[in-house]
Amino acid sequence: MSPYAGHRAGTTVREAVVRFLRETGMTTAFGNPGSTELRMFRDWPEDFTYVLGLQESTAVALAAGHALGTRRAAFVSLHSAGGVGHALGAVFNAHRDRVPLLIVAGQQARSLIQLRPFLGADEPDRFPRPYVKFARQPERAADVPAVLAEAHRIAMTHPRGPVFVSVPEDDWDEPAEPVRPRTVHAAYTADQDALAALAARLDTCARPALVAGPGVDDEEALPEARALAERTRAAVWISPLSGRSGFPETHPLFQGFLPPVPGQLAARLAPYDVVVALGAPVFTYHVAEDAPPLHPGTELFHLDCDPAQAAWLPTGTSIVTCLKPALTRLTAQLASTDREPPPPRPAPPPAGSGPGITAELVFDLLRARLPRDRVLVEEAPSHRDALHARVPVDASGGFLTTGSGALGWGLPLAVGRALADRRRVVCVLGDGSALYSVQALWTAARHRAPVSYVLLDNGGYAAVRSLGRRIGVSPVPGTDITGIDFPALAAALGCPADHATDPADLPAALDRVLDADDEDGPRLLHLRVAATEGAMYTDPWAG
């Protein structure tokens, strides 16, 4: 029997695509519509939800949050070349953070493409590269459903990520055969000899350590990573600037977050004779420094599903594999051990009292109020190390940020994540970060997304100023942001907002923004905090 049996004759590209989206669970679409997408929206199905982002990078981040919450690909509609250009910073984030997105961009009519028309995209399949796993404009209108289905399979195959299809606007009304979804199982299995050699090395080493990266969360392998750590009694670190949670941070084996500085990172790992990186780039640096990646005597093993990442690592032995099956088999091969576990990470001292509100005080109060199952989204670069030290995350998927550094991700990401299961999300933002995508508050309000925003206003791009001080560049022009009434701006976009200036008022203000009912939609708390005066990454990261 034909795989298309039972479908009526005369199906259009639009009908075939809508059917495919419905059957793959992508009935929530994200985008910012334009003229080249109009035919796609003809007879828009009533069981679909369209989430409007007021700029294309915002739409991509909204979709990414939804994909991370549902663990499925999300559908994003962009408007021709201009919309793809606007969105590329967010596409870059999605690529580095392994977020599966099915991105469809409108293109001018096929009959006009040769004439370089208004809104036409030249070489559209090259535009978003290299930050998509797949990019294509189908040769024929009839191929659109099949190309979209292929792109979806690629997006959902580890290492997952965004894919891109350009569709000429007159294709949507053309005839095409429907395409049914099919499953691709991609449980890459590690070489058994390589796993056995690693198990033997872990059995004989004196001081093992694990480095948990975003791949642990992406592959839902946190229970397996924890079992390996407990079996080996290894110290556990999280990779530098990771965009995901990778290990329960209140666990006694957890040691902290590796710094994105070559010498500091090597020094943190120097006490260990064997380090096993799990779904982690390991050497994600933010500043340049003349230092080796690891000290002599530290042997690195690296497990990850991405062969490209395995290829570029400067040192160590890589095993290309999906983590869940590999960690299960590795742990089963290990002998029991009586080695002494590392001492627990010391807790930071309580934030001091003073005349003004500090980020450290906010985080201490947040820690006491944040339910263990609450998702925490962060985009406050100058306060990130303090947040990590004072607000531990234990749950898989419990922490989300950008692992690549393109700002404007956190605010809309939190909206998409909240819409995925309608549970309240907490988002900690800096003022500079918020202004990249503040229009997403309108989307949050329109869809009553349960997000509690805590906006730390330090008057500018404090992280840039801090990095400038590190290399002797001070002052840095263009880093001051003043005169913005954030509560009024949020209210104008439909998001109720509050503020506090006195530390004594802070606990009650946090309670109001955090304890809102999920049905109440978004809330924002604006807090003026002191800017960090030190140079970034000069102090030990481990808190």
Side-chain angles (χ1 to χ4, degrees):
M1 178 181 290
S2 166
Y4 308 118
H7 290 286
R8 68 179 177 83
T11 304
T12 65
V13 168
R14 180 182 59 260
E15 291 166 336
V17 168
V18 165
R19 187 189 303 272
F20 177 79
L21 295 177
R22 183 180 288 115
E23 291 178 347
T24 51
M26 291 186 286
T27 57
T28 300
F30 301 84
N32 186 283
S35 57
T36 54
E37 296 81 58
L38 287 175
R39 287 175 172 80
M40 182 179 71
F41 296 126
R42 191 194 308 276
D43 301 322
W44 186 248
E46 292 183 359
D47 60 323
F48 277 44
T49 299
Y50 188 89
V51 179
L52 171 61
L54 299 182
Q55 206 263 8
E56 283 87 351
S57 64
T58 296
V60 170
L62 289 164
H66 199 264
L68 292 170
T70 62
R71 301 280 184 175
R72 298 192 303 265
F75 178 75
V76 193
S77 170
L78 302 180
H79 179 43
S80 195
V84 175
H86 290 159
L88 280 181
V91 174
F92 167 63
N93 279 345
H95 173 74
R96 288 290 178 88
D97 290 348
R98 302 184 180 183
V99 183
L101 299 177
L102 179 57
I103 302 171
V104 173
Q107 167 69 302
Q108 265 288 8
R110 290 183 184 270
S111 60
L112 294 178
I113 290 175
Q114 180 57 32
L115 302 176
R116 302 298 190 274
F118 186 70
L119 292 176
D122 296 332
E123 300 182 89
D125 59 320
R126 295 183 61 185
F127 196 3
R129 294 181 186 272
Y131 298 116
V132 290
K133 293 181 65 181
F134 171 97
R136 187 173 165 191
Q137 180 169 287
E139 297 298 325
R140 307 177 305 158
D143 297 332
V144 170
V147 170
L148 281 173
E150 179 185 0
H152 177 260
R153 291 191 291 271
I154 291 171
M156 289 297 292
T157 301
H158 292 295
R160 300 188 299 181
V163 293
F164 175 86
V165 180
S166 171
V167 180
E169 58 112 7
D170 50 353
D171 281 4
W172 294 102
D173 293 323
E174 294 298 311
E177 292 284 358
V179 176
R180 284 189 172 159
R182 62 184 184 86
T183 301
V184 175
H185 293 288
Y188 308 123
T189 303
D191 179 86
Q192 293 307 300
D193 291 339
L195 279 184
L198 175 54
R201 190 68 187 92
L202 284 169
D203 281 339
T204 58
C205 71
R207 297 174 306 280
L210 306 180
V211 177
V216 173
D217 184 67
D218 183 51
E219 298 185 44
E220 301 182 71
L222 191 147
E224 290 78 9
R226 177 173 179 161
L228 175 63
E230 292 173 348
R231 183 74 167 176
T232 57
R233 299 188 181 181
V236 182
W237 296 82
I238 288 182
S239 61
L241 301 175
S242 176
R244 310 273 192 94
S245 51
F247 197 80
E249 296 170 29
T250 59
H251 194 286
L253 292 172
F254 181 68
Q255 300 296 296
F257 299 79
L258 291 174
V261 180
Q264 291 182 26
L265 189 152
R268 295 295 187 285
L269 297 179
Y272 311 109
D273 52 347
V274 171
V275 173
V276 183
L278 309 176
V282 188
F283 306 110
T284 301
Y285 301 138
H286 193 188
V287 296
E289 198 173 73
D290 186 15
L294 294 174
H295 285 191
T298 300
E299 185 179 4
L300 175 69
F301 292 85
H302 169 243
L303 278 64
D304 194 85
C305 64
D306 186 356
Q309 183 164 282
W312 69 251
L313 283 186
T315 188
T317 298
S318 289
I319 302 173
V320 177
T321 178
C322 286
L323 293 178
K324 285 180 77 73
L327 295 182
T328 299
R329 291 174 181 172
L330 176 61
T331 303
Q333 294 181 55
L334 294 169
S336 59
T337 181
D338 59 359
R339 68 169 62 95
E340 281 293 316
R345 180 175 69 143
S353 59
I357 292 173
T358 65
E360 289 77 12
L361 176 60
V362 175
F363 297 151
D364 280 357
L365 294 171
L366 187 61
R367 174 177 183 162
R369 289 161 170 76
L370 196 66
R372 293 273 72 87
D373 63 346
R374 187 67 53 89
V375 175
L376 177 64
V377 177
E378 175 270 331
E379 197 174 285
S382 57
H383 302 297
R384 180 170 175 175
D385 49 349
L387 178 72
H388 280 322
R390 295 174 182 274
V391 186
V393 173
D394 284 338
S396 178
F399 176 75
L400 301 173
T401 187
T402 167
S404 58
L407 295 182
W409 183 247
L411 196 156
L413 187 82
V415 179
R417 178 60 188 85
L419 293 177
D421 57 11
R422 307 299 309 191
R423 289 189 306 147
R424 186 158 292 276
V425 171
V426 174
C427 181
V428 176
L429 291 168
D431 52 328
S433 298
L435 290 170
Y436 276 75
S437 53
V438 70
Q439 65 270 35
L441 291 176
W442 179 89
T443 305
R446 183 178 180 86
H447 291 272
R448 304 189 68 79
V451 184
S452 297
Y453 290 103
V454 179
L455 196 155
L456 305 178
D457 181 357
N458 55 26
Y461 300 123
V464 178
R465 291 196 294 256
S466 181
L467 286 166
R469 284 190 290 271
R470 178 182 174 85
I471 62 173
V473 178
S474 184
V476 180
T479 56
D480 294 327
I481 304 172
T482 59
I484 297 173
D485 187 339
F486 281 98
L489 179 57
L493 293 167
C495 175
D498 197 357
H499 72 280
T501 56
D502 189 326
D505 298 330
L506 183 56
L510 277 170
D511 287 341
R512 288 193 295 272
V513 73
L514 296 175
D515 293 342
D517 291 335
D518 291 349
E519 295 77 18
D520 290 342
R523 295 289 185 272
L524 183 141
L525 174 62
H526 173 252
L527 302 172
R528 181 73 179 179
V529 299
T532 303
E533 294 302 324
M536 210 165 186
Y537 308 140
T538 54
D539 294 328
W541 187 279

